[in-house]
Every structure is written in C-alpha cells, then in structure tokens.
Amino acid sequence: MSSKSPVVWGVLGVLVGVALGYFYAAQTVTSRYEAQIEVARNTVPSVSALYFVAGTVKDVRDASIVLGELAFSGDPFLEAPSEVEVVVGPDTTILKRVYKDLGSFQGELQEYQRRADRLPPGSPPLDQPVPYVETEVTVGDLQEGVRVEVHSAVDIKGLERFEASRIIFQ
C-alpha cells in the first residue's frame, strides 16, 4: 500500500497543478481582453443621444408594443435594456414598407436621370426615387416576430419605455 501512496500523491499533485494553471491562464486572458476592450471603448465616441432603435416585436398591445433583440445605432458599448416598451400614441405614424419590383424602380431611376440632366444650373434638386412604397397602417397590423424600426422625437438612451413618433416595418 505504501508503494501506491507516492503515485496517488503524484497524480493528485498533477491534477491540482493543472487546475491552478487553468484558472491562472483564464484570469490572464480575461484581463488582457478587458484591457483591449477598454482601449477600444476609448477610441469609439460615446453616443450622447439616441432617437432610433430596431428590434423584433415580442408582444402587441392596444397602445404599445414590446421589442426584444434590440439594435441601437452608434455605440457598440452602450449599456441598454434587453427589451423596451414602445408606446403607440395618437401622433405615432405606423408605416408598412413594400419594396418595388426591380424593373419599375430602374425605370424611375432612368426617368430621374433624364430629368436631372435637363435641369438648368441653380435649380433646386429633384426628389430622388426610393425603392419602396410606404403605406400607413395601424398597430393591429403589427405581429409578433416582425422586425421594426422605431423613431422617437425624444432621446431614448437608457429608457425602457418611450413613445414612438414613427414605426416602420416590412
């Protein structure tokens, strides 16, 4: 039995050494990444105000929608809520965007170019054609799982509930 004791102690020592090495290496790597993130954070300007968020509709209510899977523009280091409640007020416009077929849009672009070529110098610019048509709809036309763009007239940075000025979806 005494001949097995050094082997057991040796295996136990190796296991403890591997565990301590793993934890030390993990802490070292984590510290390096945190330092690199801090350098990156200092090179990216922080967003002072937000007026736009994109997200997926999780719940539709009478006068609001709940969004998840949020994408805020600007600062990748922004600490933001995982969900927001968007109030649909009387002044909120909800638009469904339907994209035009390619041939129709190309025709509009060609006509725009012909008209732009004929403009006298100093004339106001022409409105450029857009590849979609927007139709005003109601909150009842929104469904769970739909991806939406939400615009607000007020700064929404850090807010979990705000009123939308415009909601756009496809």
Side-chain angles (χ1 to χ4, degrees), residues 61-65 85-94 136-139 142 150-152 161-167:
R61 301 176 184 155
D62 289 338
S64 68
I65 58 174
E85 181 179 3
V86 178
V87 176
V88 180
D91 296 329
T92 303
T93 303
I94 304 174
E136 195 164 339
V137 295
T138 65
V139 71
L142 292 171
V150 178
H151 301 262
S152 177
R161 187 175 198 273
F162 61 90
E163 184 170 339
S165 59
R166 187 170 47 156
I167 300 172

Side-chain angles (χ1 to χ4, degrees), residues 69-138:
E69 300 175 25
L70 303 174
F72 290 92
S73 61
D75 185 356
F77 300 106
L78 177 69
E79 293 182 20
S82 59
E83 288 185 356
V84 293
E85 181 179 3
V86 178
V87 176
V88 180
D91 296 329
T92 303
T93 303
I94 304 174
L95 301 170
K96 181 172 183 171
R97 186 175 283 171
V98 178
Y99 284 89
K100 300 172 184 173
D101 67 89
L102 185 58
S104 172
F105 181 60
Q106 285 178 336
E108 289 179 20
L109 283 174
Q110 289 170 352
E111 178 60 27
Y112 168 79
Q113 190 61 49
R114 278 194 291 275
R115 290 180 39 213
D117 290 342
R118 293 187 201 130
L119 272 179
S123 297
L126 299 173
D127 290 335
Q128 294 183 347
V130 291
Y132 52 82
V133 175
E134 291 180 336
T135 307
E136 195 164 339
V137 295
T138 65

Side-chain angles (χ1 to χ4, degrees), residues 41-77:
R41 184 185 311 263
N42 293 331
T43 60
V44 175
S46 64
V47 175
S48 59
L50 286 173
Y51 297 92
F52 168 84
V53 65
T56 302
V57 176
K58 292 182 78 175
D59 189 22
V60 179
R61 301 176 184 155
D62 289 338
S64 68
I65 58 174
V66 176
L67 296 182
E69 300 175 25
L70 303 174
F72 290 92
S73 61
D75 185 356
F77 300 106

Side-chain angles (χ1 to χ4, degrees), residues 26-47:
Q27 185 174 356
T28 302
V29 169
T30 301
S31 296
R32 279 192 197 143
Y33 282 133
E34 287 173 351
Q36 289 175 346
I37 288 170
E38 201 54 43
V39 168
R41 184 185 311 263
N42 293 331
T43 60
V44 175
S46 64
V47 175

